[in-house]
Amino acid sequence: GSVIPVNIIEIDPQGVYKISTLTTVRNSEISFKLNEPFIEETLDGRKANTTATRKGNMLHLDQKGNKGEKDTVMTREVDGDFMNMELIVDDIVCKRVYKRMPDDEQI
């Protein structure tokens, strides 16, 4: 099986965002409202105080680590059929590009 992740981003009528990340190894899901801090359990087991904001097609998640932990910034920007994601810790930047799947393709 592939470990290439699939991201599903949904926004419900009440403005709740849900981001699901699916792989054959592990799945994760977070739900939040913009500009409202929430506790996020990260994939590495930390509990970060996260606040999400959005400007245009850019979704920005600011994760504040607990004492002794690093702060993290995660951005997702949709550009046509592509979503560019950056994960930033200190001066290290990880970049990933997602491509929209056809509507009839199975996850």
Side-chain angles (χ1 to χ4, degrees), residues 51-105:
T51 303
T53 57
R54 179 177 168 186
K55 185 173 184 179
N57 289 335
M58 171 78 74
L59 184 62
H60 180 106
L61 283 85
D62 187 18
Q63 297 174 329
K64 298 294 182 192
N66 293 309
K67 187 175 183 179
E69 296 177 342
K70 299 280 188 177
D71 293 341
T72 305
V73 172
M74 189 178 306
T75 64
R76 289 177 171 88
E77 184 170 28
V78 176
D79 183 13
D81 284 341
F82 294 91
M83 181 177 70
N84 300 297
M85 193 273 292
E86 288 189 355
L87 176 62
I88 305 160
V89 179
D90 294 333
D91 61 348
I92 300 170
V93 179
C94 171
K95 296 182 179 186
R96 179 174 278 164
V97 177
Y98 294 87
K99 184 174 187 225
R100 181 184 304 270
M101 294 172 56
D103 290 338
D104 60 351
E105 188 170 333

Side-chain angles (χ1 to χ4, degrees), residues 6 10 12 19 28 41 43 48-49 52-53 57 65 70 78 90 102:
V6 173
E10 300 171 284
D12 77 11
I19 300 176
S28 68
E41 186 167 341
L43 288 176
N49 188 4
T53 57
N57 289 335
K70 299 280 188 177
V78 176
D90 294 333

Side-chain angles (χ1 to χ4, degrees), residues 1-7 21-27 96-99 101 107:
S2 175
V3 295
I4 296 172
V6 173
N7 257 202
T21 302
L22 311 173
T23 71
T24 56
V25 176
R26 185 175 187 175
N27 297 331
R96 179 174 278 164
V97 177
Y98 294 87
K99 184 174 187 225
M101 294 172 56
I107 297 175

